[in-house]
């Protein structure tokens, strides 16, 4: 079912109304939504128990301090199936959540997964500068201020959701679309203005947006590829890296409780350093930061949803999210893997197909 | 006269096939270049890409991963998983212009001592032609 909802309201107000209806009809017992933190101009996800605090929520605030997928993982651990929680995710968060479901880090059993179209986000600092008494919207920012990973994102709408809140192609209000049986059931209880039989203008709007972003991605990544080429390029790119691992901490799909790169594998005894120094003459410290980034590309490259949380968390503004976008889009295309596409896709690194890469290993000598 | 380049190759050999093939090559007295530093692992599927990258960054000129032929894995399908992981590693190395041809994956069964010697000979020659690995030469790494 696809329909127009509250066509006289803007998307923020219409979405608040929609969640209010879900609460009123007792369809949900709580909701996870982007909200103003402690009355400040910071927007973070917050859990709501009723419709009373909905005016503190800003579903379309163009800022993402962290990926809500990770918070969803926390609240669905041993969750009570009697209580439904509705969560509002943007496309990259939904795609990260799909990867975490595949990795058994999220259970969607008691979750009503609501996604919304996303035009892009700005850095939290940029957002805070603009925010005053009013919380700014996407149109308050110039294109240059939008994070490059967002401008390259080919997913303006989420592939997996119970219900999607569409803004592309909406001329007022929001477009509610049920994408699962659970979503259909919910929308039966919601007062739509009109059912949308012809979705062609929405599709055209999404296609135009995707094409614009693809064009920017191709140009941007081609330049980046030239810049990082070879070990000299890579060393230069990561020259300011302080090995803090913030990028990994904020990565939604890097879920391991103990990371390999924090393990005792990398604890060496003093004499080893002495030996390496004598052999090389000069030994750059800290060790292994290039290995850390290359290793992480191999560990999560096929699950990377290009949300750019790594880049936003980097204290030295290394464009690590753009580099991971380059690596992951290329590798996922070559290996025919689509991160975040479907809950039933197999895990990329734990599975295989007998008929893939059949020429590898077989060379006759 | 300048000393001829003598490549260092790190080998990750599956306990159940390639490591045994290396042993067979030795006991059969088949000659092959002594450029490979073998590391016995329990399965080619247990070779994390980080170990391969670490070797390349620390001065290895090539890395050879030896596993069981398809359908012969001692652990049912570890070699298939290794194959996908090597494909991913090579995709990443290619994107970053880091010479994916320094990483070889070869299926060598426990009975293939001759094939083992041939693979090592061929890899040593090809790496010799490529010259030293620039990844290991950078003091910045």
């Amino acid at each position: 079912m696809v329909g127009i909802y509250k066509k006289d309201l803007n998307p923020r107000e219409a979405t608040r109304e929609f969640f209010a209806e879900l609460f009123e009809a007792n369809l949900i017992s709580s909701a996870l939504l982007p909200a103003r933190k402690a009355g400040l101009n910071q927007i973070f996800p917050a859990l709501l128990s009723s419709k009373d605090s909905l005016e503190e929520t800003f579903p379309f605030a163009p800022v993402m301090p962290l990926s809500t997928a990770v918070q969803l993982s926390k609240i669905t651990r041993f969750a009570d199936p009697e209580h439904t929680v509705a969560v509002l995710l943007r496309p990259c968060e939904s795609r990260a959540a799909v990867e975490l479901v595949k990795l058994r880090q999220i259970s969607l059993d008691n979750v009503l997964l609501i996604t919304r179209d996303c035009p892009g986000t700005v850095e939290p600092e940029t957002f805070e500068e603009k925010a005053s008494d009013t919380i700014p919207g996407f149109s308050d920012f110039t294109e240059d201020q939008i994070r490059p990973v967002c401008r390259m994102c080919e997913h303006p709408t989420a592939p997996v959701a119970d219900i999607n809140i569409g803004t592309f192609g909406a001329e007022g209000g929001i477009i509610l679309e049920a994408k699962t049986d659970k979503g259909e059931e919910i929308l039966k209880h919601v007062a739509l203005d009109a059912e949308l039989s012809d979705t062609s203008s929405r599709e055209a709007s999404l296609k135009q947006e995707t094409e614009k972003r693809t064009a920017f991605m191709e140009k941007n990544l081609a330049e980046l590829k030239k810049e990082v080429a070879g070990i000299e390029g890579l060393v230069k790119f990561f020259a300011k890296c302080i090995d803090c691992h913030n990028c990994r901490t904020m990565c939604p799909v890097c879920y391991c409780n103990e990371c390999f790169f924090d393990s005792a594998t990398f604890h060496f005894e003093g004499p080893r350093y002495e030996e390496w120094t004598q052999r090389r003459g000069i030994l750059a410290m800290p060790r292994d930061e290039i290995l850390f980034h290359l290793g992480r590309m191999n560990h999560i490259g096929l699950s990377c949803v290009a949300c750019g949380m790594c880049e936003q968390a980097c204290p030295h503004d290394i464009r690590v999210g753009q580099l991971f976008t380059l690596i992951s889009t290329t590798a996922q295309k070559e290996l025919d893997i689509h991160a975040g596409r479907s809950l039933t896709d197999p895990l990329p690194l734990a599975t295989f197909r007998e008929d893939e890469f059949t020429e590898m290993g077989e060379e006759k000598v | 006269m300048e000393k001829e380049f003598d490549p260092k190759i790190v080998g990750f050999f599956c306990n159940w096939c390639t490591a045994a093939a290396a042993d067979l090559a030795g006991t059969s007295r088949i000659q092959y270049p002594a450029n490979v530093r073998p590391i016995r692992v329990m399965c080619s599927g247990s070779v994390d890409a980080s170990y391969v990258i670490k070797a390349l960054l620390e001065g290895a000129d090539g890395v050879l991963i030896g596993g069981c032929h398809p359908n012969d894995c001692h652990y049912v399908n570890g070699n298939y998983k290794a194959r996908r992981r090597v494909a991913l590693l090579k995709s990443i190395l290619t994107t970053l212009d880091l010479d994916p041809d320094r990483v070889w994956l070869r299926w060598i069964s426990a009975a293939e001592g001759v094939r083992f010697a041939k693979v090592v000979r061929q890899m040593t020659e090809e790496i010799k032609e490529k010259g030293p690995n620039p990844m290991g030469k950078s003091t910045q790494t």
Side-chain angles (χ1 to χ4, degrees):
Chain A
M1 196 194 306
V2 189
I4 309 274
Y5 183 76
K6 304 280 175 198
K7 65 172 184 294
D8 301 327
L9 299 179
N10 67 34
R12 174 195 292 174
E13 289 156 352
T15 303
R16 285 176 182 168
E17 286 288 319
F18 172 56
F19 275 86
E21 273 201 58
L22 295 181
F23 273 120
E24 273 165 13
N26 276 325
L27 294 165
I28 56 173
S29 61
S30 58
L32 185 66
L33 284 159
R36 198 173 212 164
K37 195 177 194 177
L40 302 168
N41 291 329
Q42 306 281 358
I43 303 293
F44 274 73
L47 272 167
L48 273 55
S49 67
S50 72
K51 64 171 187 165
D52 299 343
S53 350
L54 277 169
E55 73 247 34
E56 283 299 301
T57 65
F58 293 85
F60 289 90
V63 65
M64 176 164 60
L66 42 76
S67 179
T68 314
V70 181
Q71 307 309 311
L72 187 57
S73 157
K74 292 184 200 295
I75 67 172
T76 61
R77 193 172 296 160
F78 307 117
D80 174 5
E82 299 297 307
H83 294 103
T84 300
V85 52
V87 290
L88 181 65
L89 301 182
R90 45 168 64 77
C92 60
E93 291 172 328
S94 158
R95 292 170 60 237
V98 167
E99 288 304 300
L100 289 174
V101 169
K102 283 156 64 179
L103 290 160
R104 295 172 193 270
Q105 301 300 305
I106 289 180
S107 154
L108 290 178
D109 291 351
N110 69 330
V111 171
L112 177 65
L113 184 60
I114 302 173
T115 55
R116 54 94 160 171
D117 291 356
C118 180
T121 62
V122 297
E123 297 267 346
E125 293 76 18
T126 316
F127 184 81
E128 211 188 345
E129 266 168 36
K130 196 84 177 180
S132 53
D133 294 342
T134 54
I135 294 293
F138 179 77
S139 54
D140 293 320
F141 297 96
T142 61
E143 195 167 23
D144 289 350
Q145 290 176 307
I146 306 302
R147 297 189 310 139
V149 283
C150 293
R151 294 176 66 194
M152 291 194 282
C153 174
E154 289 181 297
H155 301 272
T157 192
V160 175
D162 290 315
I163 297 167
N164 184 65
I165 298 177
T167 49
F168 286 103
E171 280 157 18
I174 48 179
I175 298 171
L176 292 180
E177 181 184 358
K179 300 177 96 166
T180 60
D181 292 344
K182 203 197 258 180
E184 289 283 351
E185 197 54 42
I186 296 283
L187 280 199
K188 278 182 196 160
H189 301 274
V190 172
L192 294 171
D193 288 353
E195 279 211 32
L196 198 64
S197 51
D198 177 21
T199 55
S200 59
S201 80
R202 168 164 165 78
E203 275 150 28
S205 173
L206 279 171
K207 185 163 175 270
Q208 192 192 359
E209 179 71 14
T210 311
E211 279 169 3
K212 188 177 100 184
R213 296 186 190 182
T214 304
F216 179 74
M217 175 164 81
E218 281 169 1
K219 180 175 156 286
N220 194 34
L221 292 188
E223 284 166 13
L224 183 63
K225 195 172 171 181
K226 236 180 261 171
E227 188 188 326
V228 296
I231 188 67
E232 300 83 5
L234 198 65
V235 167
K236 204 171 158 197
F237 185 83
F238 283 115
K240 287 197 284 180
C241 177
I242 53 172
D243 210 23
C244 69
H245 297 187
N246 275 5
C247 46
R248 180 203 63 201
T249 307
M250 295 317 291
C251 175
V253 295
C254 250
Y255 72 98
C256 295
N257 283 330
E258 194 194 354
C259 176
F260 172 68
F261 295 103
D262 291 338
S263 70
T265 311
F266 298 93
H267 300 171
F268 299 105
E269 287 162 5
R272 298 299 306 277
Y273 287 95
E274 181 65 25
E275 183 194 325
W276 294 327
T277 311
Q278 294 306 330
R279 197 167 66 210
R280 292 189 170 214
I282 179 164
L283 196 70
M285 304 287 277
R287 302 294 297 149
D288 296 321
E289 87 279 10
I290 296 283
L291 174 68
F292 166 72
H293 292 292
L294 287 173
R296 226 170 69 79
M297 286 172 194
N298 279 277
H299 290 172
I300 59 104
L302 295 180
S303 302
C304 175
V305 295
C307 63
M309 285 298 96
C310 46
E311 183 164 325
Q312 194 167 280
C314 179
H316 283 294
D317 297 329
I318 298 168
R319 289 161 293 154
V320 57
Q322 296 176 59
L323 185 62
F324 269 69
T325 305
L326 169 66
I327 295 295
S328 63
T329 49
T330 311
Q332 288 179 21
K333 208 170 281 173
E334 284 175 15
L335 276 79
D336 193 22
I337 305 271
H338 306 265
R341 176 181 65 176
S342 161
L343 293 166
T344 53
D345 276 349
L347 270 177
L349 286 181
T351 47
F352 59 88
R353 289 199 314 271
E354 284 192 21
D355 60 354
E356 65 185 5
F357 318 115
T358 46
E359 73 294 346
M360 278 181 83
E362 299 284 3
E363 286 79 352
K364 297 281 172 286
V365 282
Chain B
M1 212 175 82
E2 210 177 305
K3 218 177 119 193
E4 197 196 355
F5 167 56
D6 199 26
K8 293 190 192 77
I9 297 168
V10 172
F12 292 103
F13 300 150
C14 161
N15 175 62
W16 304 101
C17 55
T18 312
D23 215 22
L24 180 61
T27 49
S28 313
R29 308 203 170 216
I30 303 167
Q31 295 287 316
Y32 63 89
N35 295 67
V36 175
R37 276 71 168 163
I39 297 170
R40 186 167 60 97
V41 294
M42 287 314 285
C43 179
S44 57
S46 73
V47 180
D48 191 283
S50 311
Y51 296 122
V52 180
I53 297 162
K54 177 78 173 168
L56 293 171
L57 286 170
E58 295 293 336
D61 299 297
V63 173
L64 172 62
I65 302 165
C68 303
H69 286 272
N71 294 320
D72 281 353
C73 179
H74 189 77
Y75 306 103
V76 186
N77 53 31
N79 50 358
Y80 284 118
K81 291 172 184 163
R83 188 170 70 180
R84 186 176 266 208
R85 284 167 203 179
V86 171
L88 171 62
L89 173 62
K90 280 174 175 274
S91 161
I92 292 169
L93 293 177
T94 306
T95 307
L96 296 173
D97 197 14
L98 292 177
D99 197 356
D101 297 334
R102 289 184 186 273
V103 180
W104 287 32
L105 174 70
R106 291 292 182 275
W107 310 136
I108 304 168
S109 84
E112 292 179 317
V114 175
R115 174 168 159 86
F116 174 82
K118 279 183 177 172
V119 165
V120 171
R121 201 174 302 133
Q122 190 191 30
M123 185 165 184
T124 307
E125 274 164 26
E126 288 192 22
I127 299 288
K128 224 177 233 181
E129 241 163 73
K130 279 181 183 292
N133 180 13
M135 276 172 90
K137 292 289 167 260
S138 169
T139 55
Q140 296 308 309
T141 57

